[in-house]
Amino acid sequence: MKTLTADRRMIKIAMDAPYLEREEEHALAQAWRNDNDQEARNKIAMSHMRLVIAMAAKFRSFGLPMSDLVQEGHVGLLEAAARFEPSREVRFSTYATWWIRASMQDYVLRNWSIVRGGTSSAQKALFFNLRRLRARLAQGDRQLTSQAVHEEIAAALGVSLADVQTMDARLSGSDASLQAPVGHGDSDGGERLDFLASEAPLPDEQVSDMIDGERARRWLHIALGELSEREMKIIRARRLSEDGATLEELGVHLGISKERVRQIETRALEKLRAALAAKAPALTSGIH
């Protein structure tokens, strides 16, 4: 009740605020721009609060409180007043409309759902226009299927059909908690989260992979012990480092030709392959 009364009082104050003539609006804007006159800025903003309220009414269909929409619109209005340049000879209401709408749209996108949506300009256009376009298509004489409606909306807004279908599904439903119980009455059917399939490997697969990996690392360490010092240096630089050295770089470092480096590397790999084949033949397929 208190909220309703406060909303009515706010609307009344906004509607009672006097309109500004072009000359008076220009003079106030000049005072704010040139002299940093806060009172002049506030007077411009207050005289346009009815514009904020009118625009907030257009966003009420998203189910958010009118008072919150007006507050967000007021933020956009103050931002417009702070940035307005009277030298452009444009009425303040025309300029402020864009800031007010942008502020309200951002508020709707942040609060309509716990899942953040409309992160790109195309998605924002889709979010705010899908219902309107769908309603307009439904009023025509043609009997369109959902697929056809989605295709026409996608063409009108310049977005993909998949984006239209995804957004339509989001707007048609509400958020559901993963902790929401499944089942009715006193029966313990668990939570929605319990029925989500995990893409992670099964516990026995994880243990098996861990054991196999540890065994492979141990065998590789033993096989590397079969290499000479120069062979080990080349294999470490070429195969076991994130930024593999080139044959030419190693040749300069070791004082030999790059062809000789390649020959030593080939011989070292053959040694490793032979050493590992004695332990686990399957591992040698990855050495080339």
Side-chain angles (χ1 to χ4, degrees), residues 37 104 129 188 211 228 233 250:
D37 188 338
M104 290 186 183
N129 292 287
D188 184 12
I211 294 174
S228 67
K233 185 176 293 186
L250 283 172

Side-chain angles (χ1 to χ4, degrees), residues 248-266:
E248 187 174 0
E249 290 172 344
L250 283 172
V252 172
H253 179 71
L254 297 173
I256 57 179
S257 67
K258 65 179 183 181
E259 175 59 24
R260 181 57 180 157
V261 175
R262 186 191 64 77
Q263 293 174 357
I264 296 173
E265 180 186 19
T266 301

Side-chain angles (χ1 to χ4, degrees), residues 53-253:
I53 293 173
M55 193 167 294
K58 297 180 180 180
F59 287 93
R60 294 186 67 179
S61 60
F62 292 97
L64 298 172
M66 180 72 173
S67 58
D68 290 350
L69 289 169
V70 171
Q71 288 179 9
E72 292 296 323
H74 186 239
V75 172
L77 179 63
L78 293 178
E79 186 70 21
R83 295 173 177 267
F84 184 59
E85 297 181 7
S87 60
R88 293 183 178 274
E89 299 297 332
V90 175
R91 290 305 300 264
F92 178 74
S93 58
T94 303
Y95 180 76
T97 296
W98 296 97
W99 285 95
I100 296 169
R101 181 186 293 114
S103 184
M104 290 186 183
Q105 286 181 342
D106 185 64
Y107 171 76
V108 171
L109 289 171
R110 283 187 283 109
N111 294 275
W112 180 80
S113 170
I114 60 175
V115 180
R116 185 72 163 107
T119 54
S120 67
S121 57
Q123 289 177 334
K124 289 180 181 179
L126 182 57
F127 181 88
F128 289 106
N129 292 287
L130 190 146
R131 288 175 174 173
R132 176 179 57 81
L133 291 175
R134 187 171 55 186
R136 181 194 300 174
L137 291 172
Q139 292 175 355
D141 296 333
R142 296 179 299 167
Q143 297 295 323
L144 299 176
T145 63
S146 296
Q147 178 75 8
V149 169
H150 289 162
E151 289 175 352
E152 294 210 16
I153 293 175
L157 298 179
V159 298
S160 68
L161 177 61
D163 285 343
V164 175
Q165 293 171 336
T166 300
M167 186 64 72
D168 195 20
R170 286 196 59 205
L171 293 175
S172 300
S174 57
D175 294 332
S177 172
L178 291 177
Q179 277 71 47
V182 177
H184 303 282
D186 297 331
S187 61
D188 184 12
E191 299 177 347
R192 293 177 185 270
L193 187 63
D194 300 330
F195 295 90
L196 292 180
S198 174
E199 297 181 358
L202 296 175
D204 59 334
E205 294 176 342
Q206 295 180 20
V207 173
S208 177
D209 291 343
M210 182 178 63
I211 294 174
D212 290 345
E214 181 61 32
R215 184 183 295 118
R217 284 190 292 271
R218 185 170 64 252
W219 288 342
L220 179 59
H221 180 73
I222 295 173
L224 288 172
E226 301 291 328
L227 304 181
S228 67
E229 182 178 350
R230 187 162 63 170
E231 289 171 343
M232 174 67 78
K233 185 176 293 186
I234 292 175
I235 290 298
R236 286 190 183 278
R238 291 275 293 160
R239 303 285 176 163
L240 302 180
S241 64
E242 292 185 4
D243 300 323
T246 64
L247 295 173
E248 187 174 0
E249 290 172 344
L250 283 172
V252 172
H253 179 71

Side-chain angles (χ1 to χ4, degrees), residues 11-25:
I11 293 174
K12 185 177 186 306
I13 293 174
M15 292 305 178
D16 290 342
Y19 286 98
L20 296 178
E21 298 294 336
R22 177 183 287 270
E23 294 75 13
E24 185 180 6
E25 177 183 291

